[in-house]
Amino acid sequence: MKIGVLALQGAFREHKQAFLRLGAEVTEVRLPSHLKGLQGVIIPGGESTTMAKLMSAYGLDTALGDFYAAGGALWGTCAGAIAVSVEIVGYPEQPRLNLLDISVERNAYGRQVASFEADLQIEGLKRPFHAIFIRAPRIARIGPGIRVISRFAADPVMVTQGRLMATVFHPELSGDDRVHRYFLEKVVSKSLTQRF
Ligand code: GLN
């Protein structure tokens, strides 16, 4: 499989390593032309406003929308989950791809618990996944087409909608590639690769 890791800002190197360990071919995406021939792209964690500015400066906002429309799969994690969402609560002007039918609240887990770890039950995985949350957004609303793959307390923390996936934790920091494998097997497998 050919996977792109958006490499403008943030935690992209660890994602690249995880996909390489799973046997995928990995491209660092910095320009729209780098999307050619890919089946799936991950938008990593980082700082969502900075990332949005860089995406628009390089034309990657439009290009990623086109990539999805042409049959590609997208996974946004943490700041990336904010980027793929349709609504950022309290930040109506913040640019986003407007694809995944969720509303997110930035930095919603409060100051004291801004970063924390939790063992999650993830649909399809036998053992719990040790998840690291870093100033994570909270998924405050999910649309009817959203499938919840994992929750922390009552909140969805891993969701899919067809060829889209979002996680609000950082699976690349756990030394456990099962969430990356989930993306390849369950989400990228639905991509229509021949189209671009
Ligand atoms: N708090 C960050 C934001 O809003 C996201 C944090 C992360 O990606 N780890 O942009």
Side-chain angles (χ1 to χ4, degrees):
M1 279 180 178
K2 291 189 179 170
I3 301 299
V5 178
L6 189 72
L8 297 176
Q9 194 256 346
F12 60 87
R13 287 180 192 82
E14 292 81 359
H15 287 292
K16 181 175 177 180
Q17 296 308 320
F19 285 124
L20 288 171
R21 283 194 295 274
L22 292 169
E25 226 177 277
V26 185
T27 301
E28 292 185 9
V29 174
R30 295 191 174 82
L31 292 170
S33 60
H34 299 160
L35 294 170
K36 200 167 158 42
L38 301 181
Q39 290 155 276
V41 171
I42 177 161
I43 305 175
E47 211 289 311
S48 62
T49 50
T50 309
M51 213 185 296
K53 279 187 197 131
L54 293 170
M55 278 166 70
S56 106
Y58 292 102
L60 276 161
D61 44 359
T62 311
L64 284 167
D66 293 347
F67 172 78
Y68 173 72
L74 290 178
W75 169 18
T77 191
C78 210
I82 298 171
V84 296
S85 73
V86 300
E87 185 189 15
I88 306 166
V89 177
Y91 297 84
E93 306 300 326
Q94 183 171 330
R96 57 201 177 277
L97 297 178
N98 237 327
L99 297 173
L100 184 68
D101 192 9
I102 59 172
S103 302
V104 294
E105 271 177 62
R106 296 179 60 191
N107 305 314
Y109 288 99
R111 259 177 204 287
Q112 288 83 350
V113 287
S115 298
F116 60 97
E117 303 185 12
D119 287 325
L120 304 177
Q121 297 296 334
I122 295 182
E123 183 190 294
L125 302 189
K126 288 197 186 76
R127 284 175 295 109
F129 187 91
H130 190 71
I132 299 171
F133 294 76
I134 304 170
R135 287 175 294 109
R138 190 172 80 88
I139 299 177
R141 181 199 62 88
I142 54 171
I146 296 286
R147 178 158 165 187
V148 177
I149 310 299
S150 183
R151 288 181 192 272
F152 169 68
D155 299 329
V157 292
M158 175 171 173
V159 298
T160 60
Q161 179 191 331
R163 286 174 283 111
L164 299 169
M165 174 166 133
T167 45
V168 302
F169 55 95
H170 279 262
E172 78 283 9
L173 299 179
S174 296
D176 181 339
D177 296 334
R178 288 178 297 160
V179 174
H180 290 78
R181 184 188 298 278
Y182 188 101
F183 179 63
L184 297 180
E185 290 180 354
K186 301 281 205 298
V187 184
V188 180
S189 58
K190 295 179 187 149
S191 71
L192 313 165
T193 58
Q194 327 61 309
R195 305 264 300 277
F196 39 87

